[in-house]
Amino acid sequence: MRTQRNLPRVNAGSMADIAFLLLIFFLVTTTLAKDKGIERKLPRKCPPGQECAVNIKDRNIMRLYLNETGELLVNDDITAIDELKVMIMDFIDNNGDGSCEYCTGHQLDDSSENPAKAVISLTTDRLTPYAEFIALQDEISKAYYALREQYTLKLFEKKPSELTASELKQVKEAYPFLFSEADVK
């Protein structure tokens, strides 16, 4: 017959309690970073019974296409993304119809009539690299910001961060952000 020996045992009940308390502690004290996305206002839905389609002259639309390999086509010409900011600024600030008093453009026939009519239209491919898409969005935003900053310094002699709400509204009306993101091809 065998005799039972008294083997030392570890009381695991208190270890489970400690592990549970540590888990609760880390869940409560950990902060999760909130990711920032691209700030864009989604277009409002067209009310039923109203016609919301707007006819825009071809000269007032700058067509951007970002293909599956990350190449950018601006009005069917391959362009480097780092050249886009200047191209957008020239397109928007063209003053093609001569009605813009604050525009400094060259009044070219193939660029926009004035900033209130200039639309940037972006089309992407389903396989477009996300990094290229974000870089493109950044360049578009930089162009609008640069135009608004020039306008602010010229008209108000202030930095954009020092503007009042009414002055900021006037700047946004002078250079409205007219952006169209077409369906993915």
Side-chain angles (χ1 to χ4, degrees):
M1 232 163 118
R2 286 188 180 175
T3 58
Q4 286 189 348
R5 295 184 203 169
N6 287 337
L7 296 174
R9 294 185 183 183
V10 177
N11 185 1
S14 62
M15 287 173 53
D17 291 342
I18 291 171
F20 181 70
L21 288 173
L22 284 172
L23 178 66
I24 297 295
F25 173 77
F26 286 117
L27 286 174
V28 170
T29 59
T30 302
T31 57
L32 299 175
K34 292 183 181 177
D35 292 335
K36 291 186 177 180
I38 300 173
E39 265 188 53
R40 295 282 188 261
K41 285 185 180 179
L42 294 175
R44 288 178 286 191
K45 204 171 187 179
C46 186
Q50 287 188 358
E51 179 65 34
C52 292
V54 178
N55 291 331
I56 301 172
K57 291 182 182 177
D58 279 341
R59 76 176 285 181
N60 290 325
I61 301 174
M62 177 182 258
R63 288 177 178 78
L64 309 177
Y65 176 67
L66 195 58
N67 68 14
E68 67 277 355
T69 62
E71 292 177 320
L72 173 65
L73 279 81
V74 178
N75 294 332
D76 299 325
D77 294 326
I78 294 178
T79 306
I81 288 182
D82 57 350
E83 297 173 8
L84 186 62
K85 176 184 167 188
V86 174
M87 291 176 74
I88 291 174
M89 290 175 65
D90 290 343
F91 173 77
I92 294 170
D93 207 36
N94 183 49
N95 195 18
D97 62 3
S99 66
C100 182
E101 298 147 10
Y102 50 86
C103 294
T104 58
H106 304 291
Q107 296 184 334
L108 302 174
D109 291 333
D110 61 345
S111 290
S112 73
E113 293 175 341
N114 65 52
K117 295 179 180 179
V119 176
I120 308 298
S121 176
L122 172 63
T123 306
T124 57
D125 191 89
R126 287 186 195 277
L127 301 175
T128 297
Y130 190 70
E132 299 298 324
F133 176 75
I134 296 300
L136 178 64
Q137 293 277 351
D138 286 345
E139 291 301 311
I140 294 168
S141 296
K142 285 178 194 176
Y144 274 98
Y145 183 80
L147 287 170
R148 289 175 175 179
E149 184 177 32
Q150 288 174 3
Y151 180 78
T152 300
L153 292 172
K154 185 177 178 182
L155 186 66
F156 301 112
E157 298 177 357
K158 296 181 186 178
K159 294 179 183 175
S161 59
E162 300 169 346
L163 295 177
T164 65
S166 63
E167 292 170 338
L168 186 59
K169 183 179 177 187
Q170 183 178 348
V171 171
K172 287 181 178 181
E173 287 173 357
Y175 288 101
F177 190 82
L178 301 176
F179 182 73
S180 167
E181 199 164 340
D183 291 333
V184 176
K185 290 186 178 179

